[in-house]
Amino acid sequence: MISFKEHLPDFAGRYHGGSFMTVKPPDFGGKPYRSLDYHLRNRYGEKIYKVSLDGGMTCPNRDGTLGKCGCIFCSEGGSGDFAGDRTHPVHQQIEEQKARLSPKFPATHFIAYFQAYTNTYAPLSYLERIFTEAIEHEDIVGLSIGTRPDCLPDETLDLLSELNKKKPVTVELGLQTIHERTAAFIRRGYKLSCFEDAVQNLRKRQIEVIVHTILGLPGESEKDILETMQYLNGQDIQGIKLQLLHVLKGTDLAEDYLAGKFRVYEREEYLNLLIDCLEYLDPSIVIHRMTGDGPEKLLIAPLWASRKREVLNLLHHEMKVRNSWQGKQLQ
């Protein structure tokens, strides 16, 4: 059993006029945070899985528009290392991903997740074709599209709005951090104001927004990370991914790591940070990811991250011991 610093109180309460008033955690279906599984079960009435697709796109940070090397942490797969085969049609990718999932995760309905690279970075006619092919599949109940805030022109936003009338559409935006110094270091390529504009434009069209953050970026303190969480509480977002920083082979980040320029979190450190982040996040925000999956063939560090189920079990145990839950510090 690992040992944690006891920096949180062992009770849930607030002091009022000489006595403690008990504060009860929200009902998240048995978990101490609003999980994606809980959210999807409430929406669809059954277990829903994502099938990860590759739309055959690239990124302005790779094709020379903004740069040619991508973000400092991004692998050659463009964060789509688990996605389908881009040489196959979308319908075929869906069937192949369903077949891959079925031995371990029996399910009948899925969300089509366009994950690799920047999935709105293509001509409108092409986007309309592949998104429509996905959303019209009989087993697909929703569409999730990973992209950049600076790749959402009005015509693309209008297309997503029309698709959202058929089945729910969510857009995942890779923010990573609110701090401009870190954004410049990781070569993000856009300002925070661009992200804010994208969120507003999506929400005007009733499209749900999921935000990607990375915990453990070089040079960022816990204070910096919690500032990102508190900032996102003030944005009209519906979900968040809390991604542990992975060092992957073939990235510029890997070169810096191997040169000793920064260190990654130990498991205990990360779990403490993760609990703090959850306690400062609005309880209405859906938690889509807690650690992330680094491909074993590419993962350099931290190696403990490959034991995802073990990490989540430890997280749930420690939150129970601490009487901790999402949004606790906001009550």
Side-chain angles (χ1 to χ4, degrees):
M1 182 65 66
I2 60 176
S3 174
F4 289 84
K5 60 182 181 181
E6 295 184 359
H7 64 289
L8 296 177
D10 59 359
F11 55 82
R14 295 291 183 270
Y15 193 71
H16 288 278
S19 63
F20 283 103
M21 180 183 73
T22 301
V23 179
K24 293 183 178 180
D27 180 10
F28 298 131
K31 291 183 179 178
Y33 53 86
R34 189 176 297 278
S35 70
L36 178 60
D37 179 63
Y38 173 73
H39 170 70
L40 293 178
R41 284 182 184 273
N42 281 343
R43 170 172 282 183
Y44 297 106
E46 61 181 285
K47 181 76 173 179
I48 302 292
Y49 289 97
K50 283 186 174 182
V51 287
S52 182
L53 310 176
D54 189 330
M57 281 166 258
T58 181
C59 173
N61 226 359
R62 287 179 177 271
D63 69 358
T65 302
L66 294 175
K68 294 185 177 180
C69 299
C71 292
I72 195 171
F73 53 80
C74 194
S75 70
E76 279 298 314
S79 298
D81 298 293
F82 299 101
D85 187 334
R86 62 168 46 199
T87 66
H88 295 173
V90 167
H91 189 280
Q92 183 178 345
Q93 288 189 49
I94 292 172
E95 293 301 322
E96 290 167 347
Q97 292 290 73
K98 284 169 52 184
R100 183 182 65 84
L101 286 169
S102 61
K104 292 184 178 180
F105 308 109
T108 57
H109 294 98
F110 305 86
I111 290 173
Y113 179 25
F114 285 88
Q115 181 178 18
Y117 300 97
T118 302
N119 291 281
T120 56
Y121 192 54
L124 184 67
S125 58
Y126 178 74
L127 296 177
E128 183 174 13
R129 177 169 64 81
I130 64 169
F131 293 161
T132 301
E133 184 177 352
I135 210 167
E136 290 184 349
H137 189 289
E138 61 182 0
D139 295 334
I140 295 299
V141 296
L143 193 63
S144 187
I145 298 166
T147 191
R148 295 168 55 94
D150 55 353
C151 293
L152 286 167
D154 286 342
E155 59 268 24
T156 299
L157 289 164
D158 291 340
L159 168 63
L160 298 179
S161 179
E162 289 303 311
L163 294 169
N164 194 40
K165 295 173 184 177
K166 298 179 179 180
K167 294 176 183 177
V169 173
T170 61
V171 171
E172 303 193 10
L173 299 177
L175 175 66
Q176 321 313 351
T177 178
I178 64 168
H179 300 289
E180 298 292 0
R181 66 184 186 280
T182 315
F185 172 74
I186 64 176
R187 301 195 297 255
R188 190 178 68 187
Y190 65 84
K191 298 292 186 181
L192 188 59
S193 58
C194 178
F195 166 80
E196 294 171 348
D197 290 343
V199 172
Q200 291 175 11
N201 289 331
L202 288 163
R203 295 303 297 141
K204 280 192 296 187
R205 294 166 171 83
Q206 286 79 53
I207 296 170
E208 293 187 1
V209 178
I210 314 303
V211 179
H212 292 210
T213 62
I214 297 181
L215 311 186
L217 289 167
E220 288 214 341
S221 64
E222 179 172 347
K223 178 176 179 291
D224 293 328
I225 294 168
L226 291 178
E227 285 174 353
T228 293
M229 301 301 118
Q230 291 168 322
Y231 164 84
L232 290 172
N233 284 338
Q235 299 295 306
D236 188 6
I237 69 168
Q238 288 62 58
I240 190 170
K241 287 187 173 181
L242 301 167
Q243 168 74 56
L244 166 67
L245 179 69
H246 288 143
V247 181
L248 302 179
K249 294 177 183 177
T251 64
D252 290 342
L253 186 71
E255 293 183 13
D256 284 356
Y257 176 76
L258 295 173
K261 294 183 179 180
F262 71 96
R263 59 182 290 273
V264 295
Y265 285 122
E266 297 294 337
R267 187 173 65 180
E268 178 181 341
E269 292 178 294
Y270 184 69
L271 289 174
N272 280 322
L273 172 63
L274 196 53
I275 291 171
D276 286 346
C277 287
L278 289 170
E279 289 198 341
Y280 279 98
L281 273 174
D282 189 306
S284 69
I285 296 174
V286 179
I287 309 300
H288 285 240
R289 178 179 293 167
M290 303 291 273
T291 61
D293 295 307
E296 288 189 17
K297 64 181 180 180
L298 297 179
L299 184 63
I300 296 175
L303 294 178
W304 58 261
S306 63
R307 301 187 296 276
K308 183 177 178 180
R309 176 50 52 192
E310 181 180 307
V311 173
L312 290 176
N313 287 341
L314 283 168
L315 173 71
H316 295 161
H317 171 75
E318 187 61 20
M319 292 188 77
K320 182 177 181 180
V321 168
R322 296 184 186 187
N323 197 24
S324 174
W325 65 84
Q326 182 181 342
K328 179 178 180 179
Q329 297 299 331
L330 304 179
Q331 294 183 331

